[in-house]
Amino acid sequence: MNRKAYSFVRTFPQEPARALEMDGHYLLCASAGALRLEAQGQAWLLPPARAALIEAGQAIKVSIPQPVTTASVLFDPRFTAAPPAPLTVFDLSPLARALVNECGTWGESDEPLTAYAETLFTALAAVSWRLAERPSPVVVPAGRSPELRRALQLTEERLGGELRFEDVAEEVGLAPRSLARRFEDETGMTWRAVLRRMRILRAIEELAAGDTPITKIAFAVGYTSLSAFNAAFRQLTARTPTEYRASFRP
């Protein structure tokens, strides 16, 4: 490869989690649909308004809960400095999205970049590296122990229905007090705080998927009132659901 950086746009069907490790610094974005990432004991969702900056050699797990189109960029480690952290997820600015789109013209090739293209990729790296200094708070823990990972799985599967912590504890074979300690020790969060983040992540996934009414999304992820959903969404993302959905669109 003679290119110091290149872009690739691909469409993927729904897929279970698989390991991914790149030999270059990787700016991973979705232009349609959403991706899920897991690494370092945490999990993120990437709708089109967000991106992940992954250092070369950093192992992650990627799953595709719905068909997705990616518009991503790979940087040769000799082209730019290492990212601020091995893995950071952040909200894309309009400038970053415009640069990702413009860089999409230059895919993988043995032909070197033109001077104009190299300037674009340099600008994209500078903007992305700066955005990575302000990571997004919309992240949930992945858990270390089998019991906690099972508790997280059960919680996520039942977001839209009646959900009691005592029932989750019983199914994983722990007393509620013991499971509560697992949450504190392994995630630094209470079960209810994790539940709220999972609900907001699921809502973001639905917002990215299409034009489902926001009220319907709120009820589907377990909220019984639109005002409570809006308040929780704004508290975690600093935007309303309407504003967040608008940020996905050109």
Side-chain angles (χ1 to χ4, degrees):
M1 283 294 299
N2 291 324
R3 292 202 162 168
K4 303 174 183 177
Y6 63 87
S7 174
F8 47 95
V9 177
R10 291 185 61 188
T11 298
F12 298 91
Q14 181 178 352
E15 291 183 2
R18 62 183 178 90
L20 179 67
E21 184 175 331
M22 307 298 287
D23 56 5
H25 306 316
Y26 189 34
L27 181 65
L28 177 59
C29 316
S31 58
L35 297 161
R36 290 190 184 188
L37 306 183
E38 183 179 324
Q40 304 170 348
Q42 294 182 307
W44 297 262
L45 186 72
L46 291 187
R50 307 174 81 197
L53 182 58
I54 306 157
E55 186 176 6
Q58 174 69 34
I60 62 172
K61 286 184 178 179
V62 180
S63 59
I64 303 174
Q66 55 182 283
V68 66
T69 299
T70 62
S72 303
V73 177
L74 197 71
F75 298 93
D76 190 301
R78 296 167 295 182
F79 180 68
T80 183
L87 171 62
T88 310
V89 175
F90 52 87
D91 291 337
L92 283 169
S93 66
L95 175 59
R97 285 201 295 270
L99 286 168
V100 168
N101 290 337
E102 187 68 15
C103 288
T105 303
W106 289 275
E108 189 173 6
S109 173
D110 289 328
E111 294 294 325
L113 293 172
T114 65
Y116 173 68
E118 189 163 330
T119 300
L120 283 176
F121 280 103
T122 300
L124 176 59
V127 171
S128 300
W129 266 236
R130 181 161 185 176
L131 289 172
E133 295 174 357
R134 301 188 299 276
S136 169
V138 189
V139 56
V140 296
R144 298 191 301 272
S145 67
E147 292 84 1
L148 189 62
R149 292 180 73 89
R150 176 59 177 158
L152 291 167
Q153 180 185 358
L154 290 170
T155 301
E156 185 174 14
E157 289 173 352
R158 301 175 186 177
L159 293 179
E162 292 188 12
L163 193 60
R164 297 174 64 248
F165 181 67
E166 292 77 9
D167 294 337
V168 174
E170 182 179 359
E171 290 205 37
V172 301
L174 293 174
R177 183 175 297 180
S178 297
L179 183 58
R181 282 198 299 268
R182 291 284 181 99
F183 270 92
E184 292 286 354
D185 293 344
E186 294 188 32
T187 74
M189 302 169 65
T190 65
W191 174 77
R192 191 155 296 279
V194 171
L195 171 62
R196 184 181 64 171
R197 290 200 177 194
M198 283 186 170
R199 284 174 166 163
I200 299 305
L201 277 174
R202 178 70 59 79
I204 289 173
E205 188 176 317
E206 293 299 321
L207 289 168
D211 296 314
T212 303
I214 289 172
T215 301
K216 186 174 181 179
I217 292 175
F219 292 149
V221 300
Y223 284 89
T224 57
S225 76
L226 183 59
S227 60
F229 171 64
N230 284 337
F233 197 99
R234 181 188 283 275
Q235 184 177 19
L236 197 57
T237 68
R239 303 182 199 178
T240 67
T242 301
E243 290 168 342
Y244 211 94
R245 172 176 270 168
S247 71
F248 302 160
R249 310 299 164 84

